[in-house]
Each structure stands twice: as C-alpha cells, then as structure tokens.
Amino acid sequence: MSTRISATDIRSMKGREKIASLTAYDFPMTRLLDEVGIPLLLVGDSVGMVVLGYPDTTSVTMEEIEHHLRAAARAKPRAMLVGDLPYRSYEDPANALRNAQRLIAAGADGVKAEGGRKILPQVEAITAAGIPFMGHLGMLPQSVREEGGYKVKGKVETEHLALIEDAQALANAGAFAIVLELVTPPVAKELTAAVPIPTIGIGSGPDCDGQILVTHDLLGLFPWFTPRFVKPKLNAAEQMRNVVKEWRDAISKPAA
Ligand code: KIV
C-alpha cells in the first residue's frame, strides 16, 4: 500500500496490530523512519530538549515547531505526521484552532496537545474543524515546572479515575489516539480497554495499543540524559565520537 496513512488508518489499527511511533524533527530522520515503515511520526516538542538545548519543553515556540515540521514534511512520508502544539499555544479554543491550522499549513497531518477535560473545548474546536487530534495524558512534560518534576501518574485512586475520565472525554471529543506517558502499567492497561481509540504508551508498560519513543533516546543520540524506561538500542553518540576522533587523528598524521 503506497497511500498516505491517515488518522482513520491509525485508529483502525487498535486491536489488530501494535502501533510503532517515533519522533522525527528533520528531513533525513523522517525519511529513514518512513523507509522502515513506521506509520506514525511526531514532530514533538521534545525537539526543544534533544535538538535545541532547552532544559525542558516549555520554551519551545510555534515558530520552532513549524520550522521542524516543514523540514520533516519535505521527506513526503507515507507515515502520518503529527505536530505538537507547544506550551501555551492552546490556551483557549480560538487560539488552539488558529495554531493547529498553522501546524497543518506547515505540513502536519494532525496535531497533539497535552491534557484531558481541562482542554476539551480546545480539542472540540480542533476536531470540529476537521483536524485530526491526538491526546496526551499521564505525565505532561509541559507541566513539569508546575508539578516540580516528571512524575508517574495513576498510583493513587483519584489519578486513576481522572485518567480514565480524561481518556473517555478525549475519545468522545473525536481524538484519533492518545499518548499515555508515565502511566502505571495496570492503569494504562485498564484505560486501553476502556476507550475505542488506540493508546500509544511511553514508559507506561506493554499493554497499550502502541508505543512511542523519542528517536534520540532509542538511538543513543542524546547521551547526557536517558529516561529510566528507555534501553537505547544503539550508542550512536559514542560511535560518532569514535569516528570523528579517527578522522581527526588520520588527518593530523605528519606527511611521510
Ligand atoms: O514531544 C514528544 O516527543 C512527545 C512524546 C514523548 C510523546 O510528546
């Protein structure tokens, strides 16, 4: 099948096949991941940490996400390309819709934002305009400053119930999938069974409908920090250091 993957295709994978999803912020990575057949690529605001050198995602701007989306979209992937709405870019329905439209104009096929019932009017404005929306529940990186760190969600009953209600509300508002970040595995499993749309887990155990990782974490491209739940499959940073040293040493040898 060579046609573009749509939100409907991703949604219909629930219960049929596991959904593999990765982040991509530029042309070559998007092209490589697409050549492997990854169906769902995210131009995430994690770009702020692993590419732009910010301490967290809260400094990422609309312009930065648009810039990286344009680069990724130039790869013309078959994969569905989702753009992250950055911190404070979806404070009310009008501004959420305007910014979602900007990301679509920059090449996204859909958008993602963090939160559940709190941002429901924003989600409804986006889906009513026909823009595919992906939710993000559990640990919300854009709230790291308010929360004082990256904390696992679902350990206490109030969080457990809130997660299920948020997920159902997002599904009812027309979301096509939900990222579950750092949700306790039993709650992620229950939530996955409770909603008709796919859950894409990150640090939330094996029972989600799919898994997503920051590609730099998977490949060992950002060696200065690796989340606890990631086991890098490549030590790309170390290999790059070694190749660069070999090259430097080779060109530094005095001519015979
Ligand atoms: O920005 C991002 O990369 C994300 C994923 C970690 C889900 O939101």
Side-chain angles (χ1 to χ4, degrees):
M1 195 171 56
S2 61
T3 48
R4 293 292 302 278
I5 293 172
S6 67
T8 311
D9 295 326
I10 298 292
R11 192 181 163 142
S12 72
M13 288 168 80
K14 186 174 176 96
R16 293 196 297 119
E17 56 182 301
K18 287 277 182 181
I19 301 164
S21 182
L22 286 166
T23 59
Y25 317 117
D26 59 26
F27 175 92
M29 192 60 87
T30 304
R31 192 153 172 182
L32 281 171
L33 300 179
D34 197 50
E35 283 171 2
V36 175
I38 300 296
L40 180 61
L41 297 177
L42 173 68
V43 180
D45 59 2
S46 53
V47 69
M49 297 167 82
V50 298
V51 174
L52 302 177
Y54 296 135
D56 57 50
T57 60
T58 60
S59 302
V60 176
T61 64
M62 273 298 294
E63 289 73 19
E64 285 164 341
I65 294 287
E66 287 174 304
H67 170 81
H68 286 278
L69 255 173
R70 285 191 204 101
R74 276 180 212 116
K76 298 192 175 23
R78 179 173 170 259
M80 177 174 190
L81 197 58
V82 172
D84 237 347
L85 282 163
Y87 185 56
R88 296 216 164 136
S89 71
Y90 48 102
E91 302 268 88
D92 60 60
N95 148 279
L97 178 57
R98 201 166 40 248
N99 285 324
Q101 285 165 334
R102 276 176 66 173
L103 297 191
I104 298 295
D109 302 310
V111 302
K112 173 171 89 58
E114 298 181 6
R117 285 161 295 170
K118 259 192 192 166
I119 63 159
L120 218 54
Q122 287 90 315
V123 177
E124 283 164 351
I126 291 169
T127 57
I131 296 176
F133 179 83
M134 180 155 83
H136 188 151
L137 295 176
M139 190 282 286
L140 306 179
Q142 292 175 6
S143 305
V144 63
R145 292 182 184 210
E146 291 100 278
E147 298 229 334
Y150 299 107
K151 302 199 173 124
V152 175
K153 291 293 160 79
K155 285 183 176 168
V156 293
E157 197 52 16
T158 45
E159 274 176 10
H160 167 193
L161 295 177
L163 280 165
I164 306 275
E165 283 184 32
D166 281 337
Q168 284 168 338
L170 288 175
N172 290 339
F176 73 90
I178 307 173
V179 169
L180 294 185
E181 182 155 6
L182 287 185
V183 172
T184 60
V187 172
K189 183 176 181 180
E190 184 187 330
L191 191 158
T192 297
V195 291
I197 57 175
T199 58
I200 317 281
I202 173 162
S204 301
D207 295 312
C208 298
D209 296 304
Q211 297 288 332
I212 184 166
L213 282 180
V214 171
T215 302
H216 286 57
D217 294 338
L218 179 67
L219 301 183
L221 261 175
F222 192 80
W224 308 280
F225 173 76
T226 308
R228 258 178 300 133
F229 55 86
V230 181
K231 289 190 182 52
K233 299 287 183 212
L234 184 71
N235 196 342
E238 193 53 22
Q239 292 188 14
M240 286 162 75
R241 284 191 192 109
N242 290 339
V243 167
V244 172
K245 272 189 224 152
E246 274 173 32
W247 173 81
R248 180 200 58 200
D249 293 348
I251 65 153
S252 307
K253 278 194 189 120

